Amino acid sequence: DQQVKQNSPSLSVQEGRISILNCDYTNSMFDYFLWYKKYPAEGPTFLISISSIKDKNEDGRFTVFLNKSAKHLSLHIVPSQPGDSAVYFCAARPIGGATNKLIFGTGTLLAVQP
Amino acid sequence: NAGVMQNPRHLVRRRGQEARLRCSPMKGHSHVYWYRQLPEEGLKFMVYLQKENIIDESGMPKERFSAEFPKEGPSILRIQQVVRGDSAAYFCASSPLGHRENTEAFFGQGTRLTVV
């Protein structure tokens, strides 16, 4: 039962353009959503998060949008840079759960072409 | 300030052996989470520990797996009588605060366990 889904296993984008990574969830009982970035042979690194009471959070080149009615969130990276090439995981925190007890999606591999 | 340290980075075990994975949290962090990533899958929560206490082990398999976080020393994830299906990357994360304080966790580089 995959509660957090990333349906695109990979995405290729030209340097300087926008990268849009998508994530869907099936359960309304999440109160916090996060995006992590992972390079090969390294652990995930926290990128940006959003509370379920918000619909947008921005941090530099990274913006996360949350559409609760559609149970959908997306990560926008503008402009994309070759160093952004990595696997991106979205994660959700169940209401009432511990801060970092998260449910992860399967990840999207982003390749930014120079 | 060193990050979350996991060792070994790579571990090879024969079926039936025991695997011990170690995690030293960041300095000042007293909350530790273990996750497992199977091939082609996302990270799956296993267990949440504070010093000397298991807070939530709802993601741990019922048999062969155990975890501890003693007062002194690293957190240990122990897998007894390993089977091929245990082959995965095991990640540890630590945070300074715990429940509901909205503090991100910092992940270690993981231990890649291969069972042959």
Side-chain angles (χ1 to χ4, degrees), chain B residues 59-86:
Chain B
M60 289 277 270
K62 294 286 183 274
E63 297 176 349
R64 302 187 297 108
F65 284 72
S66 63
E68 62 177 9
F69 189 15
K71 187 176 180 181
E72 302 291 337
S75 175
I76 306 285
L77 179 67
R78 183 180 176 212
I79 311 172
Q80 295 178 290
Q81 299 174 332
V82 296
V83 301
R84 288 230 169 95
D86 298 331

Side-chain angles (χ1 to χ4, degrees), chain A residues 5-110:
Chain A
K5 299 178 183 179
Q6 293 177 258
N7 292 317
S8 298
S10 62
L11 174 68
S12 183
V13 170
Q14 285 294 121
E15 180 179 5
R17 307 292 287 269
I18 184 171
S19 295
I20 299 177
L21 298 109
N22 294 305
C23 181
D24 297 294
Y25 58 97
T26 60
N27 186 340
S28 296
M29 303 300 285
F30 295 128
D31 66 352
Y32 219 67
F33 300 91
L34 306 90
W35 283 94
Y36 282 84
K37 175 180 177 180
K38 185 180 179 305
Y39 292 117
E42 293 188 15
T45 303
F46 171 75
L47 203 52
I48 191 170
S49 63
I50 187 167
S51 164
S52 61
I53 62 173
K54 303 267 178 78
D55 54 21
K56 177 182 175 181
N57 187 27
E58 191 171 352
D59 183 3
R61 297 186 296 114
F62 302 92
T63 303
V64 56
F65 295 93
L66 176 61
N67 182 335
K68 287 185 285 294
S69 62
K71 295 191 176 66
H72 177 84
L73 67 155
S74 60
L75 174 68
H76 292 211
I77 306 173
V78 180
S80 301
Q81 300 172 354
D84 296 329
S85 298
V87 177
Y88 289 78
F89 292 97
C90 71
R93 184 177 74 187
I95 293 172
T99 300
N100 290 293
K101 179 185 177 181
L102 304 171
I103 297 176
F104 281 82
T106 51
T108 296
L109 174 62
L110 173 65

